[in-house]
Amino acid sequence: MIRRLRCFLVFFLVLDLCAVLYLAYRYLDRIPNQLYTMVGEQGEVELPYGMSMGESVEVLQVTNQAGGFSMVSEQTGDYRIPVKLFGVLPVKQVDVKVLEKMKLAPSGEPIGIYVATKGLLVLDTAEIQGNDGLTYAPGENILKSGDYILKWDRNTISTIDGLDEEIQKTADKKVPVLIRRNGEEVEIALKPIRATDNKYKIGAWVREDTQGIGTLTYVTEKGEFGTLGHGITDADTGNLLDLKGGELYHTKILGVVRGASGEPGELQGYINMVAQNQIGEIRKNTSLGVFGKMEENAVDEFAGQFVPVGMKQEIKKGEAHIYIKLNGDTKKYSIEIEKININSRNNKSMVIHITDPRLLSATGGIVQGMSGSPILQNGKIIGAVTHVLVDDPTRGYGIFIENMLAQ
């Protein structure tokens, strides 16, 4: 009986310990791991009960106050400040980065996006019917989905037509092929097979470019832009595209397919990719957005009024707005910020809910093509729309604007 009682006590002790550790983790998760602020601006940060910041460091002045602390610096730099429980026990370190003061012009303009990959992206391998009546799979177990073909027989490859031309020159000889796999260059060997149409093939589906519609998030005072709030990925593999380059173009929205539960809607538009319609150059594709430089003559047309930047510690649950141009005019639509993940480093930092009846009537909520729509609260740009919740198109995710600016 005593032994059984001890087992029960140990079980409940372990259970209590697990509960305490879980609550401690959730408690500490409310303390930011990293903070951004701007030169000369006093940032106010909330902390859980019993927590306070350590002393000021270098030129970063930190002042504890009820429910949190404030910080201000007159110089840029990177700093680390300890968080203490009841002012005594160190529990966490917070990294603080002080940036030059800046303003951004939120846009909300739909844009056409065209990108070309750095090499040819391999989507999949396939079987080939040879002209001898046999079935071959020359690329199987050699090429993998997500590989990039860079060179064929020492010759640089940049287009599908160029690859086909080199394959025909090769005929049925085995040649070295340089590929990039998981960020590393690897040399493999491939031997084309003569197919029933008498053309030589390697049994691989490849892609050299892609295009689509998004929404421009912001333009800086230097004419640089950020858009989408997530990366451009391949529709078939889901991999982030390794880009050789790309452009932004004027686009014309022709219609809207309204979103419904389980059926994401979309902005339907037309991109006329001619030189006079180009408005910007894409220079970087990351998981947190697409970035580049606007054409000088397009800045005024696509940039709105410059506003301050709101860091994540300034964001509050409740009313906010998004900007998007649907029917010729860029309009401000009401949303509700329902959840904030203070330590998010990805593109799902906030859960947002579309509440504006005008936007709900027009789109049903968040639809494909709205990625990048700027989010504003209290006169500051704080983020961008990134994803829709498929089961509820009135809700979706937003990214902190500071996560985009850090790229």
Side-chain angles (χ1 to χ4, degrees), residues 206-258:
V206 297
R207 175 171 291 153
E208 67 181 71
D209 58 16
T210 191
Q211 58 185 284
I213 291 174
T215 300
L216 189 62
T217 306
Y218 66 80
V219 180
T220 71
E221 293 171 300
K222 295 180 180 179
E224 296 166 341
F225 70 81
T227 185
L228 295 186
H230 59 69
I232 300 173
T233 57
D234 180 72
D236 296 292
T237 66
N239 294 335
L240 188 71
L241 292 179
D242 190 0
L243 302 186
K244 176 174 62 179
E247 298 92 35
L248 297 188
Y249 289 92
H250 281 275
T251 188
K252 183 177 179 59
I253 300 301
L254 303 176
V256 178
V257 177
R258 296 180 80 257

Side-chain angles (χ1 to χ4, degrees), residues 270-285:
Y270 170 69
I271 309 170
N272 186 8
M273 292 187 293
V274 294
Q276 58 266 35
N277 280 341
Q278 183 176 331
I279 59 172
E281 176 189 359
I282 294 172
R283 297 178 177 176
K284 190 188 299 185
N285 179 35

Side-chain angles (χ1 to χ4, degrees), residues 120 152 155 157 159-171 199-200:
L120 299 184
W152 181 276
N155 295 317
I157 299 299
T159 66
I160 294 174
D161 288 343
L163 175 62
D164 184 61
E165 185 178 335
E166 292 297 326
I167 290 172
Q168 302 315 309
K169 290 179 185 177
T170 299
K199 291 192 67 175
Y200 289 95

Side-chain angles (χ1 to χ4, degrees), residues 9 128 281 377 387:
L9 289 174
I128 296 170
E281 176 189 359
Q377 188 179 61
H387 298 83

Side-chain angles (χ1 to χ4, degrees), residues 117 119-126 139 143-150 152 157-164 167 177 179 190 202-210 234 236-237 241:
T117 59
L120 299 184
L121 173 64
V122 177
L123 305 178
D124 204 354
T125 57
L143 288 171
K144 296 182 179 180
S145 175
D147 289 346
Y148 286 85
I149 299 175
L150 306 177
W152 181 276
I157 299 299
S158 58
T159 66
I160 294 174
D161 288 343
L163 175 62
D164 184 61
I167 290 172
V177 181
I179 65 171
L190 280 173
I202 59 171
W205 298 100
V206 297
R207 175 171 291 153
E208 67 181 71
D209 58 16
T210 191
D234 180 72
D236 296 292
T237 66
L241 292 179

Side-chain angles (χ1 to χ4, degrees), residues 52-245:
S52 62
M53 300 301 287
E55 65 282 351
S56 300
V57 291
E58 300 179 39
V59 296
L60 180 66
Q61 299 300 311
V62 177
T63 305
N64 286 301
Q65 53 196 34
F69 69 97
S70 65
M71 58 183 178
V72 64
S73 176
E74 297 301 328
Q75 295 182 23
T76 61
D78 297 299
Y79 309 95
R80 177 167 287 183
I81 311 172
V83 181
K84 297 181 179 181
L85 179 61
F86 301 121
V88 178
L89 180 65
V91 294
K92 197 170 187 177
Q93 297 280 344
V94 177
D95 293 318
V96 178
K97 188 175 185 67
V98 183
L99 307 172
E100 289 285 0
K101 190 176 293 187
M102 72 174 78
K103 289 187 175 183
L104 302 177
S107 179
E109 290 269 353
I111 48 171
I113 299 172
Y114 168 83
V115 292
T117 59
K118 193 183 295 181
L120 299 184
L121 173 64
V122 177
L123 305 178
D124 204 354
T125 57
E127 293 182 341
I128 296 170
Q129 193 73 28
N131 69 346
D132 58 2
L134 300 177
T135 300
Y136 299 88
E140 189 175 20
N141 298 322
I142 300 175
L143 288 171
K144 296 182 179 180
S145 175
D147 289 346
Y148 286 85
I149 299 175
L150 306 177
K151 292 185 178 182
W152 181 276
D153 197 16
R154 310 287 190 258
N155 295 317
T156 300
I157 299 299
S158 58
T159 66
I160 294 174
D161 288 343
L163 175 62
D164 184 61
E165 185 178 335
E166 292 297 326
I167 290 172
Q168 302 315 309
K169 290 179 185 177
T170 299
D172 58 357
K173 294 182 294 185
K174 182 177 285 190
V175 297
V177 181
L178 183 67
I179 65 171
R180 184 171 57 255
R181 176 177 292 163
N182 299 325
E184 296 184 3
E185 293 188 359
V186 181
E187 190 169 87
I188 60 172
L190 280 173
K191 179 182 177 181
I193 297 298
R194 193 170 187 175
T196 52
D197 59 0
N198 288 321
K199 291 192 67 175
Y200 289 95
K201 300 178 181 180
I202 59 171
W205 298 100
V206 297
R207 175 171 291 153
E208 67 181 71
D209 58 16
T210 191
Q211 58 185 284
I213 291 174
T215 300
L216 189 62
T217 306
Y218 66 80
V219 180
T220 71
E221 293 171 300
K222 295 180 180 179
E224 296 166 341
F225 70 81
T227 185
L228 295 186
H230 59 69
I232 300 173
T233 57
D234 180 72
D236 296 292
T237 66
N239 294 335
L240 188 71
L241 292 179
D242 190 0
L243 302 186
K244 176 174 62 179

